[in-house]
Amino acid sequence: MSPSAVEIQARTLAGYADASRLRQVHDRDWVLDRVTGSPETLVDLGSGIGQLLESALLRFPSLRLAVGLERSEHRIAEAAQRLAPYGERAVLHAADLTAPEQLPYRAQVITQTSVLHWLYPDEDRIFAWVAAHLAPGGRFLLTTYHPARDAHGLGGEDELVRDALSALGTPAEDVPALLAAHGVLPIATRTRTVDELLAVLAPHLRVAGHAERDAVVTVESAAQYEHFHAATFGDYYARVLPAERRADFYRAVGAAALRRQEERGHVSHMPVRLWELTAREEFVSETGNRPSRA
Ligand SMILES: C[S@@+](CC[C@H](N)C(=O)[O-])C[C@H]1O[C@@H](n2cnc3c(N)ncnc32)[C@H](O)[C@@H]1O
């Protein structure tokens, strides 16, 4: 049986420009509004299809180099097309952010939006990398999502997945074990709490400020959410089912999302934090003293 359109979409993570309007796109200007001065180099970690890099190049004529690090070859190809008009000002590298290679330059601005949960439990590696790649006075602007977690560590998208799997015949109470059996960590488990993140980043970075917003997702149709799920999560969850049931799974996620919206007025609702971080040794306390290094 040949794969359905939505399965092909999930494999290639296609349609993200459209899908990300539901949630992730709001991070872009939120983050770039925090950039001060005239940065020359900006690095975006998990740069996806290059939307943040493009906005940055348009907003900051001072940028001589906008660099994207990204794992998905499909996304890099889409970003390369989007950024082609910017010539040598835009550079894309294939990279795994859990084992990032060193770059030969430092950046005034490093950004990372809607990515950190995918790096769990190795986030400390990217924090160390960032600390080593920030230019003096540079800022790391990071967004993190914080869905509420239940006793099984499920929350946010996991809840829609649980609804969808139970609609397809898996009892809701068996879903945590089904995910675990396929090595699928619930997204709400991947997403550490603010306090947990503070502990992980503390050896490398200091918090210079933060802001919060509520990400409220609403949809116009079940199909819209079905495509949002495929473009955002790919086959991360779908792989718990045999290939012939995956098209039904994506449809069931869309139906679950619409049902939730009818019941609650929205599909999902979660706090997002924007962190403004500096390298640890760059930090100057309110008294003007540099803390001694631990
Ligand atoms: C939800 S998308 C966010 C994309 C973009 N930053 C945005 O805000 O729209 C997550 C991105 O992180 C990338 N990603 C996930 N794990 C990664 C890893 N280990 N190394 C590099 N990129 C990764 C994915 O391929 C995807 O493009």
Side-chain angles (χ1 to χ4, degrees):
M1 202 172 80
S2 52
S4 65
V6 72
E7 287 171 88
I8 294 170
Q9 178 187 8
R11 270 183 216 165
T12 58
L13 295 168
Y16 188 75
D18 198 31
S20 60
R21 282 191 205 124
L22 284 188
R23 184 155 65 199
Q24 300 93 331
V25 79
H26 304 286
D27 286 3
R28 201 181 310 156
D29 283 328
W30 196 34
V31 159
L32 291 179
D33 285 348
R34 292 263 164 162
V35 174
T36 54
S38 305
E40 291 188 2
T41 304
L42 177 148
V43 178
D44 188 31
L45 301 171
S47 46
I49 58 173
Q51 295 157 302
L52 184 144
L53 292 172
E54 181 176 39
S55 292
L57 285 160
L58 289 169
R59 284 177 64 154
F60 306 110
S62 59
L63 272 185
R64 289 193 300 175
L65 200 53
V67 183
L69 270 54
E70 169 56 51
R71 182 177 61 179
S72 154
E73 60 184 277
H74 296 287
R75 292 217 159 143
I76 291 177
E78 195 172 335
Q81 269 190 356
R82 171 169 284 104
L83 298 171
Y86 303 92
E88 291 181 355
R89 290 176 73 210
V91 174
L92 297 166
H93 292 299
D96 178 355
L97 298 175
T98 62
E101 286 177 23
Q102 301 297 302
L103 293 180
Y105 39 76
R106 289 176 176 233
Q108 287 79 36
V109 184
I110 301 180
T111 53
Q112 186 179 61
T113 57
S114 312
V115 175
L116 193 69
H117 47 280
W118 293 118
L119 311 185
Y120 177 91
D122 297 318
E123 301 96 320
D124 60 312
R125 297 187 193 160
I126 201 65
F127 292 148
W129 186 97
V130 166
H133 286 80
L134 278 174
R139 287 282 190 271
F140 178 35
L141 301 168
L142 164 73
T143 64
T144 54
Y145 285 65
H146 299 279
R149 249 184 231 166
D150 69 11
H152 301 286
L154 271 62
E157 197 69 12
D158 308 320
E159 292 179 4
L160 293 168
V161 167
R162 178 165 43 198
D163 289 358
L165 290 171
S166 26
L168 296 178
T170 304
E173 61 275 18
D174 293 348
V175 168
L178 179 66
L179 295 180
H182 288 83
V184 176
L185 261 184
I187 223 78
T189 299
R190 292 181 159 278
T191 316
R192 294 189 201 250
T193 64
V194 166
D195 284 342
E196 288 165 352
L197 280 177
L198 277 169
V200 180
L201 63 83
H204 313 288
L205 298 162
R206 296 270 181 187
V207 180
H210 78 269
E212 291 219 357
R213 71 176 178 90
D214 252 342
V216 181
V217 171
T218 57
V219 280
E220 283 156 18
S221 65
Q224 189 186 16
Y225 201 86
E226 176 180 346
H227 292 293
F228 167 81
H229 180 95
T232 299
F233 297 95
D235 58 7
Y236 181 70
Y237 294 104
R239 68 176 119 127
V240 306
L241 291 174
E244 67 276 10
R245 306 212 58 205
R246 291 185 189 160
D248 289 343
F249 169 76
Y250 293 113
R251 240 188 324 272
V253 170
L258 192 62
R259 212 165 34 242
R260 275 189 176 241
Q261 174 159 302
E262 283 161 3
E263 286 163 11
R264 307 169 185 206
H266 55 255
V267 178
S268 64
H269 182 345
M270 71 184 78
V272 189
R273 174 170 279 232
L274 166 54
W275 304 74
E276 216 173 308
L277 303 162
T278 62
R280 188 174 152 81
E281 61 267 35
E282 282 294 323
F283 180 75
V284 178
S285 73
E286 279 168 16
T287 59
N289 296 325
R290 280 174 191 276
S292 56
R293 297 187 70 176

